[in-house]
Amino acid sequence: MLHPDLLDSARAISDRIVTLRRAIHAEPELGLHTPLTLAKVRAALAHLPLEWREGGATTGAVATLKGASKGRRVLLRGDMDALPMPEETGLDFASTIPGRMHACGHDTHTAMLAGAAELLCARRDEIAGEVQFMFQPGEEGYHGARHMLDDGLIDPLPDAAFALHIMPNARHGAVAGRAGALMAAADQFDIVIQGRGGHASMPHDTLDPVPAACAVVSAIQAMVTRRFNAADAVVVTVTMIEAGTAHNVIADRVNLRGTIRTLSPRNRDTVHRLVEETASGVAAGYGVRADVTITHGFPVTICDERAVSLGCTVTGELFGEAAWTPMPAPIMGAEDFSYVLEKVPGAMFFLGVAHEGDDWRSCCSIHSTRMVVDESVLPRGSALLAGCALRFLESGFD
């Protein structure tokens, strides 16, 4: 059993966790370089016996706690970057930088990880092994975890890795997870339908790319529903169509952009090929050309069954068995903690941060300009991260 006062210890430092979260929230940073955020973290943890490693392509950092004796090595991760979007929460500590918001909860992830560092450092004399605290920028599409791995900041690799992601439209304090695919691979496509423009009154003298583009969109949707097993989900969504300059001009080209989400490497490769074949074939039927570019995003986030079982057990011991919610299916969002889980067995869990008593189903979700968090849940996140680390260091996946 975990030490019975772990959750109480987390609640005792709640003010520090919340203060750090609010400081980060008020000054959101984007992409791979989050120096202000990292400085806030380092200042908050300056009194702890941590060894820091920084540098490379990002402002990511790994703080290592070495226990009283040798043993296993476990990694806990929190991401630090925000989103390029306005904030409309009306909070006293709302973003002070126009066009930036911590709408995905990375401010809470970082603060909860800092809280876990406090809890574990206080138990240093009881720890056999090491804990790596991974403070990572660039999760929102910038492959920050991959860069930190490439830069050698997580070398040697840990024996297990854990992370949390908040969910503002999930039950207060609930913890959810699943073994296997948790989140999708996310790639993007750009399709240029190249025709020959002209006067809108004389379409017969042009090669109009607009009808071809409309047909390509419809064909892609039919491709998904007819070529893939619904039990192994595939999502292809056209999110942008750009063409034309005036009501009486037929454009030379149409630009289509969108996203591809898959849950298996096989489907990922297949859908890439079929998008290109479908767009090219349909365009050719209209006498125009389709040029397709596919950009790889994050891989599938795959959780180790043993790590999920460990997280379930720790959740039950800390918060009661009712706190654990098994997920029946993956979600089609993407997460670059997947790069870590490709190399190390581990798991990510979701933590419900809706206000207690609220209808959590109707709360604003992540990536909403009005997303808010019940900060009273944050000590539970710190305790859960620390509990997973302690349990793994003590007994591994046994």
Side-chain angles (χ1 to χ4, degrees):
M1 291 289 291
L2 291 171
H3 202 287
D5 69 352
L6 187 61
L7 181 55
D8 289 338
S9 297
R11 288 172 173 155
I13 61 170
S14 176
D15 287 349
R16 295 206 288 273
I17 296 170
V18 170
T19 296
L20 178 59
R21 183 258 166 158
R22 292 184 176 187
I24 294 170
H25 189 94
E27 293 186 289
E29 297 179 286
L30 306 178
L32 296 171
H33 299 286
T34 56
L36 293 176
T37 304
L38 181 60
K40 292 179 176 70
V41 172
R42 293 207 59 163
L45 303 182
H47 62 291
L48 299 179
L50 298 170
E51 299 178 6
W52 290 84
R53 300 177 68 182
E54 301 179 34
T58 78
T59 55
V62 174
T64 300
L65 169 65
K66 294 186 176 180
S69 58
K70 293 184 177 180
R72 300 177 180 87
R73 181 180 294 110
V74 64
L75 179 143
L76 305 176
R77 178 271 214 165
D79 37 9
M80 299 190 291
D81 58 320
L83 285 160
M85 58 185 286
E87 178 165 351
E88 299 176 321
T89 61
L91 295 169
D92 293 340
F93 53 92
S95 172
T96 59
I97 304 176
R100 297 183 185 180
M101 179 187 175
H102 269 291
C104 200
H106 296 185
D107 53 338
T108 68
H109 302 167
T110 299
M112 289 188 294
L113 181 59
E118 293 247 15
L119 297 175
L120 291 168
C121 285
R123 291 161 173 76
R124 182 184 187 187
D125 292 343
E126 306 167 22
I127 290 176
E130 296 182 5
V131 185
Q132 298 171 321
F133 302 96
M134 178 183 179
F135 293 97
Q136 179 214 310
E139 193 282 327
E140 293 292 349
Y142 292 88
H143 307 270
R146 188 190 70 198
H147 285 297
M148 289 185 69
L149 285 162
D150 291 345
D151 288 339
L153 293 178
I154 312 168
D155 183 16
L157 289 172
D159 302 303
F162 297 92
L164 283 180
H165 200 303
I166 64 154
M167 282 295 178
N169 54 340
R171 180 168 55 89
H172 177 94
V175 180
R178 73 186 307 273
L182 177 75
M183 301 180 75
D187 305 313
Q188 67 183 46
F189 62 85
D190 293 83
I191 303 173
V192 179
I193 309 296
Q194 184 67 51
R196 186 178 69 248
H199 200 289
S201 67
M202 295 176 281
H204 55 284
D205 290 332
T206 72
L207 292 175
D208 190 348
V210 172
C214 294
V216 167
V217 173
S218 296
I220 286 174
Q221 303 307 312
M223 174 201 81
V224 171
T225 60
R226 291 295 177 266
R227 299 293 293 271
F228 294 95
N229 186 336
D232 188 1
V234 170
V235 174
V236 182
T237 303
V238 178
T239 57
M240 186 181 301
I241 302 176
E242 297 176 327
T245 57
H247 71 278
N248 59 350
V249 175
I250 292 175
D252 285 316
R253 67 183 62 83
V254 178
N255 298 321
L256 305 176
R257 301 189 70 186
T259 187
I260 298 169
R261 307 291 172 123
T262 52
L263 294 173
S264 67
R266 180 185 63 184
N267 275 356
R268 192 182 194 187
D269 292 340
T270 301
V271 75
H272 289 183
R273 174 176 56 81
L274 288 178
V275 165
E276 185 166 1
E277 290 179 357
T278 299
S280 298
V282 170
Y286 282 80
V288 298
R289 186 179 80 247
D291 298 320
V292 180
T293 302
I294 294 177
T295 304
H296 281 67
F298 304 155
V300 182
T301 303
I302 298 177
C303 296
D304 187 279
E305 182 177 8
R306 299 165 300 169
V308 174
S309 178
L310 184 150
C312 176
T313 300
V314 170
T315 297
E317 292 180 3
L318 288 175
F319 319 129
E321 292 183 3
W324 177 259
T325 303
M327 294 174 60
I331 62 175
M332 299 307 287
E335 167 60 60
D336 87 339
F337 189 55
S338 55
Y339 288 116
V340 176
L341 296 183
E342 281 187 323
K343 297 180 178 295
V344 178
M348 170 175 275
F349 306 115
F350 295 110
L351 177 65
V353 292
H355 284 80
E356 193 162 16
D358 283 0
D359 178 8
W360 53 266
R361 296 175 182 84
S362 63
C363 293
C364 292
S365 67
I366 55 174
H367 292 216
S368 165
T369 59
R370 299 183 301 279
M371 187 203 83
V372 293
V373 169
D374 184 347
E375 294 175 325
S376 71
V377 182
L378 302 188
R380 291 170 72 101
S382 293
L384 179 58
L385 287 170
C388 287
L390 290 170
R391 174 55 54 82
F392 180 78
L393 291 176
E394 179 183 334
S395 55
F397 289 129
D398 295 335

